[in-house]
């Protein structure tokens, strides 16, 4: 590291101060955007404040409330910036008034840490703005990672394996649309909330799955997107404690992520759930997820994330593959499919049904999908191939594994499919 | 107050029955009344069909040759049929109103902010 900075773009060891600044930065930025009405100006002010923070904190130690410290310094920076611009446009005049007229209590006295509600509202506003349906889905994810998680465009680009410039463009396009089309900086009113909340949770889950499914070889980035997803999930629980889907999503991520340590073997090859060493699972995380699921199921407002969390917990709590509560999982998948009819849910339901009623029953459920776009998904064919293999239809199974390999898939999955073909004696 | 253009796109079909046409006009009038009463309506026009459209372009820069073509700018299935100008405080409010334009269920509405050249409000 060449020095402490907010926009840590290089790989390597993470400075703990940088990490604090990155984590606190999202909240500080959210408040600054409300005060300045401008994402770019807020980012500039925060970056300046982060430089000062790294310097002062190294010398004097961490303040009691780093977030409040950063907010105060960054707010003053924003004031300076606006003041320095000699010819002020009316918009800046308004921003200047907002900053100077804001009650002092908004900025000072944070040391007491008694104003977390304000801060919470700001970050919620930022989340809803980043996840506005008027922005493209890829822009939403990039913007959320940039602003709320404080990741650099370089880090984001590395995670999604696209050029830096692409991420930079997505972010600047999204910012320009927010400003020019006037996407409001607010938490939507109650009647719009169910739809809009869904958009926010979806972005968090996509972010998590991008981190969770990235093959080890491609995780050159030090950024753990799965952990960022869980962090945002926990944030949503604290901000909207009455929405069981926030808890459902977080439990789903925790229970899934808890199995990460056993998903790949020493060579980086995929280990099937049935063959995983369950002692390698994070049982603390699983217990937390199970407790979350228990608490939300009592509210009797099941949603797609809660149901998936319940399924993930049943898998993670089972002492062995054979002792998994498959009948319960089958019921949950039926419940899920009734609410969320997607081919992927159907494939997963078929896998569970095959465990209870045999592979032939699973195959019947898959047959209904034939001819649909799911045929471009390698795991559809891999599932089909597995059922056929278990039914003794070796030739058909080989054919299905070949179709799986013809679909786009990552290296880890490809190696797995090839090993299956070999074990079936395929030439 | 920011202004938005709500551009109404739909397929042109001459075989709309008089009843369907009547229903659609009633719906448009209802929208116009409602948006007008709310102080959102800043204008709007319905356009004649694309058979009446003429597209021109000047080639070779300003003062160059004028090329005139019969027909709309682009031959597409869904064409611009009309527009409203709506004064709304932000995109959410504009989308809220746009979703009540009958064109939203007969076709699609594209919402675009209008550039404010006055340099004042903002």
């Amino acid at each position: 590291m060449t020095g402490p900075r907010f926009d840590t773009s290089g790989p390597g060891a993470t400075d703990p101060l940088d990490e604090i600044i990155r984590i606190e930065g999202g909240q500080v930025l959210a408040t600054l955007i409300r005060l300045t009405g401008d994402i770019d100006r807020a980012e500039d002010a925060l970056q300046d404040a982060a430089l000062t923070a790294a310097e002062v904190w190294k010398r004097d130690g961490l303040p009691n409330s780093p977030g409040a410290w950063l907010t105060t310094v960054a707010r003053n920076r924003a004031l300076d910036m606006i003041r320095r611009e000699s010819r002020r446009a009316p918009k800046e005049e308004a921003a200047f008034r907002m900053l100077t007229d804001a009650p002092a209590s908004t900025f000072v006295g944070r040391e007491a840490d008694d104003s977390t509600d304000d801060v919470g509202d700001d970050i919620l506003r930022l989340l809803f703005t980043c996840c506005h349906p008027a922005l493209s889905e890829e822009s939403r994810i990039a913007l959320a990672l940039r602003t709320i998680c404080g990741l650099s465009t370089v880090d984001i680009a590395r995670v999604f394996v696209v050029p830096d410039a692409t991420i930079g463009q997505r972010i600047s396009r999204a910012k320009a649309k927010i400003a020019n089309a006037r996407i409001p900086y607010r938490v939507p009113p109650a009647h719009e909330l169910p739809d809009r909340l869904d958009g926010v949770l979806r972005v968090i889950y996509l972010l998590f799955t991008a981190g969770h499914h990235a093959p080890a070889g491609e995780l050159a980035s030090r950024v753990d997107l799965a952990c960022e997803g869980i962090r945002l999930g926990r944030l949503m629980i604290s901000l909207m404690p009455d929405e069981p889907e926030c808890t459902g999503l977080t439990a789903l991520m925790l229970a899934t992520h808890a199995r990460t340590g056993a998903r790949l073997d020493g060579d980086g090859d995929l280990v099937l759930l049935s063959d995983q060493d369950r002692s390698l699972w994070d049982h603390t995380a699983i217990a937390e997820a199970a407790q979350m699921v228990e608490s939300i199921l009592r509210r009797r407002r099941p949603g797609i994330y809660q149901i998936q969390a319940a399924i993930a917990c049943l898998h993670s709590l089972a002492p062995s593959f054979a002792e998994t509560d498959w009948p319960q999982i089958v019921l949950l998948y039926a419940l899920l499919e009734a609410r969320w009819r997607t081919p992927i849910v159907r494939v997963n339901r078929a896998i569970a049904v095959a465990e209870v009623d045999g592979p032939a029953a699973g195959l019947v459920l898959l047959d209904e999908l034939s001819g649909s776009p799911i045929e471009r998904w390698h795991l559809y064919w891999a599932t089909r191939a597995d059922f056929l293999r278990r039914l003794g239809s070796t030739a058909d199974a080989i054919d299905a594994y070949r179709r799986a390999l013809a679909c786009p898939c990552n290296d880890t999955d490809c190696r797995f499919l090839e090993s299956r073909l070999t074990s079936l004696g395929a030439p | 107050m920011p202004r938005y253009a709500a551009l109404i796109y739909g397929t042109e079909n001459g075989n709309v029955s008089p009843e369907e046409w009547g229903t659609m006009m009633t719906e448009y009038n209802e929208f116009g009344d409602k948006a007008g009463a709310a102080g959102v309506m800043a204008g709007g026009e319905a356009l004649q069909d694309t058979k009446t459209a003429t597209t021109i372009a000047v080639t070779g820069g300003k003062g160059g040759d004028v090329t005139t073509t019969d027909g709309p700018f682009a031959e597409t299935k869904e064409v611009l049929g009309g527009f409203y100008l709506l004064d709304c405080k932000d995109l959410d409010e504009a989308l809220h109103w746009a979703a009540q334009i009958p064109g939203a269920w007969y076709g699609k509405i594209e919402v675009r902010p209008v550039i404010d050249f006055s340099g004042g409000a903002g």
Side-chain angles (χ1 to χ4, degrees):
Chain A
M1 301 291 291
T2 51
R5 61 217 148 124
F6 175 62
D7 199 344
T8 46
S9 48
T14 310
D15 188 313
L17 278 187
D18 283 344
E19 201 55 12
I20 291 169
I21 290 169
R22 184 178 73 77
I23 302 282
E24 295 288 338
Q27 300 216 335
V28 178
L29 189 69
T31 302
L32 287 170
I33 294 171
R34 171 169 54 81
L35 295 171
T36 62
D38 184 309
I39 299 181
D40 283 327
R41 176 170 286 133
E43 279 187 332
D44 287 348
L46 174 60
Q47 193 147 354
D48 264 18
L51 283 171
T52 313
E55 208 173 284
V56 175
W57 297 356
K58 266 204 178 95
R59 193 185 62 217
D60 304 339
L62 264 188
N64 286 339
S65 172
W69 196 102
L70 275 174
T71 307
T72 309
V73 174
R75 172 187 159 266
N76 291 336
R77 282 286 186 285
L79 266 172
D80 286 347
M81 279 179 204
I82 297 167
R83 245 186 233 124
R84 242 181 287 133
E85 289 155 14
S86 49
R87 284 188 333 118
R88 263 186 250 136
K91 190 174 164 187
E92 273 130 20
E93 191 82 62
F96 187 78
R97 269 201 311 278
M98 267 203 274
L99 276 166
T100 45
D101 293 351
S105 63
T106 316
F107 305 104
V108 294
R110 274 277 170 75
E111 295 286 325
D113 209 5
D114 57 355
S115 49
T116 42
D117 282 352
D118 293 340
V119 175
D121 287 348
D122 280 337
I123 197 126
L124 207 50
R125 267 183 209 112
L126 182 52
L127 256 168
F128 275 104
T129 305
C130 289
C131 302
H132 197 282
L135 301 173
S136 74
E137 199 152 76
E138 46 195 24
S139 296
R140 292 180 216 169
I141 296 175
L143 193 60
L145 286 173
R146 179 75 196 88
T147 57
I148 297 159
C149 303
L151 301 187
S152 69
T153 48
V154 176
D155 278 331
I156 301 170
R158 209 172 281 150
V159 169
F160 290 104
V161 205
V162 295
D164 300 354
T166 308
I167 294 293
Q169 268 172 9
R170 281 180 198 165
I171 292 174
S172 58
R173 236 183 260 140
K175 280 186 197 165
K177 184 158 188 191
I178 290 172
N180 297 333
R182 289 175 186 264
I183 291 179
Y185 192 56
R186 57 158 197 185
V187 175
H191 67 276
E192 287 176 21
L193 205 53
D195 281 350
R196 295 288 308 279
L197 177 64
D198 205 50
V200 172
L201 297 182
R202 189 175 155 74
V203 163
I204 297 175
Y205 191 51
L206 283 173
L207 212 152
F208 169 81
T209 47
H212 186 69
H213 289 303
E218 285 172 17
L219 277 181
S221 163
R222 64 185 168 76
V223 174
D224 191 337
L225 270 196
C227 291
E228 285 302 308
I230 292 171
R231 185 167 79 82
L232 289 179
R234 289 189 192 280
L235 185 68
M236 287 303 288
I237 297 178
S238 68
L239 298 172
M240 308 185 96
D242 296 332
E243 293 293 338
E245 281 288 84
C246 297
T247 311
L249 171 61
T250 310
L252 168 61
M253 294 189 290
L254 277 171
T256 309
H257 194 54
R259 294 183 229 130
T260 304
R263 277 180 75 231
L264 300 176
D265 65 15
D267 300 328
D269 284 332
L270 196 68
V271 183
L272 287 181
L273 187 59
S274 52
D275 305 330
Q276 288 181 10
D277 175 358
R278 295 182 179 224
S279 69
L280 295 175
W281 291 357
D282 180 351
H283 293 281
T284 317
I286 293 169
E288 189 188 358
Q291 200 177 14
M292 283 180 174
V293 168
E294 219 168 283
S295 77
I296 46 180
L297 289 186
R298 265 186 252 122
R299 299 200 208 170
R300 304 204 165 275
R301 280 166 55 204
I304 60 167
Y305 292 113
Q306 295 170 70
I307 298 169
Q308 292 180 88
I311 293 168
C313 279
L314 284 175
H315 280 301
S316 298
L317 287 168
S320 69
F321 189 75
E323 289 165 273
T324 306
D325 189 349
W326 290 107
Q328 182 75 9
I329 290 176
V330 166
L331 282 176
L332 287 166
Y333 269 121
L335 199 62
L336 184 61
E337 204 183 15
R339 272 154 210 279
W340 197 34
R341 206 172 180 78
T342 75
I344 293 181
V345 171
R346 167 57 67 93
V347 170
N348 282 299
R349 190 181 141 211
I351 293 170
V353 166
E355 290 304 320
V356 177
D357 300 325
L363 210 50
V364 170
L365 287 175
L366 288 189
D367 282 343
E368 289 169 25
L369 294 176
S370 73
S372 79
I374 193 77
E375 292 195 335
R376 286 197 297 270
W377 191 43
H378 66 297
L379 295 182
Y380 163 78
W381 289 107
T383 307
R384 216 182 159 78
D386 187 55
F387 293 165
L388 290 164
R389 179 187 63 82
R390 283 150 68 183
L391 287 167
S393 312
T394 310
D396 290 340
I398 290 173
D399 189 47
Y401 278 124
R402 292 217 167 102
R403 301 248 353 217
L405 277 165
C407 300
C409 72
N410 66 36
D411 293 351
T412 320
D413 288 0
C414 279
R415 280 201 306 278
F416 169 78
L417 293 168
E418 278 157 4
S419 74
R420 277 287 153 125
L421 270 176
T422 313
S423 71
L424 285 177
Chain B
M1 181 75 91
R3 180 165 290 177
Y4 293 86
L7 310 173
I8 304 161
Y9 286 88
T11 49
E12 290 181 313
N13 44 13
N15 48 12
V16 176
S17 73
E19 292 76 29
E20 287 168 328
W21 180 259
T23 307
M24 200 164 78
M25 284 305 106
T26 312
E27 288 172 335
Y28 269 103
N29 288 334
E30 280 168 7
F31 172 76
D33 292 346
K34 205 171 157 194
V40 168
M41 183 63 73
E45 299 291 347
L47 305 179
Q48 294 200 24
D49 69 44
T50 50
K51 286 200 289 289
T52 66
T54 310
T55 304
I56 61 140
V58 173
T59 50
K62 188 177 174 186
D65 294 336
V66 180
T67 321
T68 309
T69 324
D70 174 34
F73 164 64
E75 292 286 355
T76 48
K77 209 164 133 270
E78 296 196 305
V79 299
L80 182 66
F83 63 90
Y84 284 114
L85 293 171
L86 305 172
D87 286 336
C88 298
K89 69 178 194 310
D90 57 35
L91 183 65
D92 279 0
E93 195 189 345
L95 297 179
H96 166 80
W97 282 103
Q100 299 178 59
I101 299 174
W105 50 92
Y106 293 113
K108 283 177 183 167
I109 311 287
E110 178 179 325
V111 177
R112 297 261 293 269
V114 168
I115 297 178
D116 178 9
F117 285 107
S118 70

